[in-house]
């Protein structure tokens, strides 16, 4: 029987250096991701956040954007060693921003080391998601944020999943419901979650200005007025802010 999917070499894919276009894409995406984090954290006391950790930080674009916006005191990031990310440390807006490598399984920090831990567009790359989520929660004193694209919806086809697998290395795909179910059945309590669309700048980067305006308008109106239908027609991103559940009944 013929394989349904063509499996790429993920090691090769993840170690491939970013070209200039991808670096600009990541810079624009970091602005969006930082805005999503700050929006949800505004419902809590973001002023009390000191030590921050990003897991799967890549080249550190989101960390730098958060530092520029005055979030936290010091921001650390970990990334599986590759040509894309090297150990580095710098000061941005009076905050230390440092990146180091890790083995992709166990975070090299003691329990409760950070006030806030986050991972954006990482979970869809992870083989053992529950272990990954456990590690995020373990090193956090309380709050954890995870964001990912919702790629399972009514119009999803095998070709769409193959494209995400081949180009981005997404080995998992989620709907809103399956994402929240994964969190809640991993001993986590979801405090807030929200759906987000791309910024005008990212739409323009992808499509050109005229098409970008039309697409963003249609998708934005759908998400505002018929959110249930919208998430079954288009790919949005979901960000969830969670903490450890008081009691876990999953065996």
């Amino acid at each position: 029987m013929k394989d349904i999917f063509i499996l790429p070499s993920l090691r090769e894919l993840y170690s491939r250096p970013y070209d200039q276009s991808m670096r600009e894409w990541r810079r624009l995406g970091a602005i969006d991701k930082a805005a999503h984090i700050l929006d949800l954290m505004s419902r809590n006391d973001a002023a009390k956040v000191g030590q921050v950790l990003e897991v799967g930080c890549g080249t550190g674009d989101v960390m730098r954007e958060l530092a520029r916006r005055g979030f936290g005191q010091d921001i650390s990031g970990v990334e599986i060693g590759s040509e894309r990310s090297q150990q580095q440390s710098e000061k941005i807006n009076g905050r230390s921003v440092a990146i180091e490598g890790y083995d992709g399984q166990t975070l090299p920090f003691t329990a409760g080391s950070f006030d806030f831990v986050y991972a954006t567009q990482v979970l869809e790359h992870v083989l053992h998601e529950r272990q990954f989520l456990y590690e995020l929660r373990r090193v956090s004193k309380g709050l954890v944020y995870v964001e990912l694209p919702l790629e399972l919806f009514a119009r999803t086809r095998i070709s769409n999943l193959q494209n995400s697998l081949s180009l981005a290395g997404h080995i998992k795909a989620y709907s809103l419901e399956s994402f929240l179910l994964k969190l809640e059945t991993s001993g986590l309590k979801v405090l807030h979650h929200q759906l987000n669309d791309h910024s005008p700048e990212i739409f323009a980067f992808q499509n050109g200005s005229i098409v970008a305006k039309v697409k963003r308008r249609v998708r934005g109106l759908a998400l505002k007025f018929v959110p249930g239908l919208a998430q079954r027609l288009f790919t949005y991103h979901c960000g969830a802010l969670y903490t450890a559940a008081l009691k876990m009944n999953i065996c």
Side-chain angles (χ1 to χ4, degrees), residues 219 222-224 226-236:
R219 291 163 57 103
L223 187 58
K224 180 177 180 180
V226 284
L229 176 62
Q231 64 186 272
R232 283 163 175 76
L233 295 177
F234 306 110
T235 298
Y236 296 99

Side-chain angles (χ1 to χ4, degrees), residues 136-199:
L136 299 188
R137 178 167 59 91
R138 180 183 66 81
V139 300
S140 171
K141 292 177 182 177
L143 295 176
V144 182
Y145 175 87
V146 173
E147 179 179 319
L148 50 70
L150 302 176
E151 297 180 297
L152 284 183
F153 52 95
R155 297 191 301 116
T156 301
R157 299 293 181 267
I158 287 177
S159 59
N160 303 126
L161 298 178
Q162 179 67 66
N163 190 56
S164 290
L165 174 63
S166 299
L167 297 180
H170 293 183
I171 63 173
K172 302 287 176 66
Y174 294 89
S175 65
L176 173 61
E177 294 82 2
S178 66
F179 176 41
L180 297 179
L181 178 66
K182 179 71 68 176
L183 296 177
E184 296 264 342
T185 57
S186 297
L188 309 171
K189 178 178 175 59
V190 178
L191 302 175
H192 308 289
H193 75 276
Q194 65 182 17
L195 298 184
N196 303 294
D197 207 358
H198 289 311
S199 65

Side-chain angles (χ1 to χ4, degrees), residues 29-145:
I31 296 173
D32 275 13
K33 293 173 184 177
H36 301 162
I37 290 171
L38 294 176
D39 188 19
L40 277 188
M41 284 298 290
S42 68
R43 306 178 194 185
N44 291 270
D45 194 348
K48 292 182 179 179
V49 173
Q51 302 300 313
V52 177
L53 173 68
E54 178 176 6
V55 180
C57 64
T59 50
D61 297 277
V62 181
M63 300 166 60
R64 296 185 186 92
E65 185 63 26
L66 287 173
R68 279 191 285 267
R69 296 189 183 204
F71 181 73
Q73 297 176 4
D74 295 304
I75 305 178
S76 301
V78 293
E79 176 64 51
I80 298 174
S82 73
E83 297 178 27
R84 296 176 176 175
S85 177
Q86 299 177 352
Q87 290 192 2
Q88 54 186 289
S89 179
E90 57 187 299
K91 283 282 187 179
I92 298 176
N93 195 18
R95 290 160 173 80
S96 171
V97 176
I99 299 175
E100 62 181 276
Y102 91 119
D103 63 8
Q105 297 183 30
T106 304
L107 293 170
F109 308 105
T110 58
S113 295
F114 299 92
D115 299 299
F116 180 69
V117 178
Y118 70 95
T120 61
Q121 299 194 34
V122 177
L123 193 64
E124 64 272 24
H125 299 269
V126 174
L127 182 60
H128 302 294
E129 312 109 299
R130 294 186 193 281
Q131 177 62 25
F132 179 79
L133 292 169
Y134 168 80
E135 277 295 289
L136 299 188
R137 178 167 59 91
R138 180 183 66 81
V139 300
S140 171
K141 292 177 182 177
L143 295 176
V144 182
Y145 175 87

